[in-house]
Amino acid sequence: MSGFYGFSIFAIVLFILGTRMLLKDLYTFYIHGKSILKVEKGIGLAIFWLGSIIVWCLLLRQSVKLYVRHENNGIINNIVTNIFWIEFSVSNIIKSLRSSEIRENGIYILGDFYKWSKVKSYNWISPNIIEFKVKAFFKSNSSLELTINEEVKGEVEEVIQKNIEL
């Protein structure tokens, strides 16, 4: 089913969702204070998503070529869908490069950011593993674990004590 100028509603929704997701990740990346401690990075996932971007860009290029040649039966939807997947891949690169870290304004774990006000408590469950109890959106309690180097345990403890009101 085609809508306005050959765009399907599904393609428009995909484009809007992709743009929203990318803008949210960029906002999180820039606005949540400087990084105090980077715990881990998902470089392997970043490489996967970079490969994904290359594939989607090649597909986008092919769709644009077909559109320019006026072979545009449904090509507009392919172009918009490819743009969504590029946005999705860039968003996942941002998340994978920032897998887990402690920031000035909260903690960033596996693509989600928790402001210090959302952290209810914390506990060292081993010499290098810290568990945070946070207020999650759909759950009343959620547990998150970070593995850190023991050399920076004092610095981590200082940042947490300064920011969490127990």
Side-chain angles (χ1 to χ4, degrees), residues 6 9 11 26 31 40 44-45 58 83-84 93 95 120 135 147 156-158 165:
I9 298 297
L26 289 172
I31 204 71
E40 60 187 47
L45 280 175
L58 291 172
I83 291 171
F84 165 78
I93 286 174
K95 287 178 181 178
K120 295 164 85 171
K135 298 175 200 170
T147 302
V156 170
E157 184 71 32
E158 182 181 322
E165 298 174 20

Side-chain angles (χ1 to χ4, degrees), residues 4 13 22 76-78 96 103 127 150:
F4 187 69
V13 169
L22 185 57
I76 294 287
N77 289 328
N78 287 350
S96 64
R103 301 191 62 80
E150 288 187 52

Side-chain angles (χ1 to χ4, degrees), residues 84-157:
F84 165 78
W85 286 111
I86 291 169
E87 292 171 329
F88 185 77
S89 298
V90 170
S91 175
N92 280 301
I93 286 174
I94 292 169
K95 287 178 181 178
S96 64
L97 288 177
R98 307 194 62 210
S99 291
S100 298
E101 63 184 357
I102 296 175
R103 301 191 62 80
E104 271 182 329
N105 299 332
I107 55 175
Y108 194 82
I109 299 177
L110 302 172
D112 291 319
F113 184 78
Y114 299 91
K115 292 181 181 182
W116 289 118
S117 61
K118 298 287 184 191
V119 178
K120 295 164 85 171
S121 66
Y122 73 99
N123 183 33
W124 292 94
I125 57 177
S126 80
N128 66 335
I129 298 176
I130 187 169
E131 176 185 53
F132 293 98
K133 299 281 186 187
V134 296
K135 298 175 200 170
F137 187 66
F138 289 112
K139 302 176 191 173
S140 59
N141 290 320
S142 184
S143 263
L144 306 167
E145 292 181 6
L146 284 177
T147 302
I148 64 161
N149 293 330
E150 288 187 52
E151 299 87 42
V152 294
K153 183 176 180 177
E155 182 183 351
V156 170
E157 184 71 32

